[in-house]
Amino acid sequence: MLRLFQFPPNFGVPNPSPFCLKVETWLRMAGMDYQVKTVFDPRKAPKGKLPFIELDGRVIADSEIILRTLKATGTDLDAHLDAAGRARGLCITRLCDEHLAPLILYFRWVADAGWVQTRPAFFGKLPAPLQLFVPRMIRNQTRKALRAQGLGRHTPDELLLFAREDLQALSDLLGDSAFFGGEQPCSADAAAYGVLANIILATLETPIGQMARQEFPALVAYCERLRSQFWA
Ligand SMILES: N[C@@H](CCC(=O)N[C@@H](CS)C(=O)NCC(=O)O)C(=O)O
């Protein structure tokens, strides 16, 4: 049995981590059996980040390496795509994982309006002495990581413009199709749902979420379609 190690649900979505939600959505799209193991502290993960899986005694970390490994076992959600379709899927996945996900992180952890919602949601149940320093420490680590990555050096308005461009690109690429994979989902749909559900369906209010809901009705409909098809 495949075991998926990930954060618990939060913000009204199955997982507040785009990467955990991506892997679990992929497993559901593929119809694979799995067991979820909740982890609260990512420092216990093999690479210090979630998700990771256990499969046939092997421990595999990182959403992309997990999906690549699962594909190698014979379940390929991208089998219906030609080379250009697979390349397009990879570009969509990289946009979601490497650009939109850090933008979500910024508006949750660094921007004050996000932090006043993130802090109680993630740390509200911590014992009182830990409340004093753990949330601030993790927020500072996140701020430093985003500065090192580069996006954390920009103003909120500049970041929001990046987000708008990303969402416009996703909306244009989706067009009238049900999925990024066309009539049936592909791996890029799992990556897209991981970030889009966290932007559009999450109860936490962020400027990206407000913008996405107002300006990108096709992406809102996409999230609702995937939620009812794979998460109802
Ligand atoms: N490249 C990794 C990224 C995973 C990742 O960034 N996970 C975040 C949650 S969204 C995490 O565990 N962060 C904890 C930390 O950095 O301390 C993947 O695709 O799985």
Side-chain angles (χ1 to χ4, degrees):
M1 169 68 76
L2 184 157
R3 297 205 300 167
L4 170 62
F5 295 78
Q6 60 177 357
F7 292 108
N10 214 325
F11 300 142
V13 284
N15 210 288
S17 156
F19 302 100
C20 297
L21 184 53
K22 166 185 171 183
V23 170
E24 194 171 358
T25 300
W26 193 96
L27 290 168
R28 286 170 174 244
M29 286 171 169
M32 283 180 88
D33 284 337
Y34 63 95
Q35 230 178 46
V36 167
K37 294 278 167 195
T38 299
V39 179
F40 292 93
D41 184 353
R43 286 175 305 178
K44 299 198 172 120
K47 292 185 182 173
K49 286 183 186 284
L50 296 173
F52 68 94
I53 63 164
E54 249 178 44
L55 180 66
D56 303 330
R58 283 186 301 159
V59 176
I60 301 147
D62 187 281
S63 63
E64 279 301 277
I65 299 178
I66 293 170
L67 299 194
R68 193 189 301 148
T69 307
L70 294 178
K71 274 183 206 175
T73 67
T75 309
D76 187 358
L77 287 187
D78 302 325
H80 64 292
L81 302 176
D82 61 11
R86 284 195 295 274
R88 185 171 163 273
L90 183 76
C91 294
I92 291 168
T93 298
R94 297 290 194 258
L95 174 90
C96 293
D97 288 2
E98 307 300 336
H99 205 249
L100 269 174
L103 288 171
I104 294 174
L105 206 60
Y106 177 89
F107 283 102
R108 285 181 177 177
W109 288 79
V110 179
D112 289 334
W115 179 240
V116 296
Q117 302 170 75
T118 299
R119 185 187 160 123
F122 283 3
F123 304 107
K125 291 191 181 135
L126 269 189
L130 297 180
Q131 291 258 4
L132 289 176
F133 69 94
V134 172
R136 197 172 37 181
M137 184 185 79
I138 299 183
R139 188 187 192 198
N140 281 339
Q141 284 169 1
T142 306
R143 190 187 273 120
K144 276 190 197 148
L146 283 167
R147 269 194 73 77
Q149 187 263 5
L151 281 174
R153 291 157 199 263
H154 302 306
T155 66
D157 283 349
E158 287 167 340
L159 294 174
L160 204 54
L161 187 52
F162 278 134
R164 179 178 277 116
E165 289 168 342
D166 290 355
L167 294 171
Q168 185 66 60
L170 288 177
S171 184
D172 291 343
L173 284 166
L174 184 63
D176 294 329
S177 304
F179 303 106
F180 289 102
E183 290 310 302
Q184 61 187 95
C186 67
S187 297
D189 285 287
Y193 190 69
V195 289
L196 291 175
N198 267 294
I199 290 172
I200 290 170
L201 303 180
T203 50
L204 172 125
E205 276 302 324
T206 63
I208 309 189
Q210 281 158 3
M211 178 185 70
R213 286 189 288 271
Q214 275 167 19
E215 298 179 26
F216 298 100
L219 297 180
V220 176
Y222 172 80
C223 283
E224 283 162 358
R225 186 158 55 247
L226 269 80
R227 177 164 58 183
S228 65
Q229 197 158 335
F230 299 107
W231 282 98

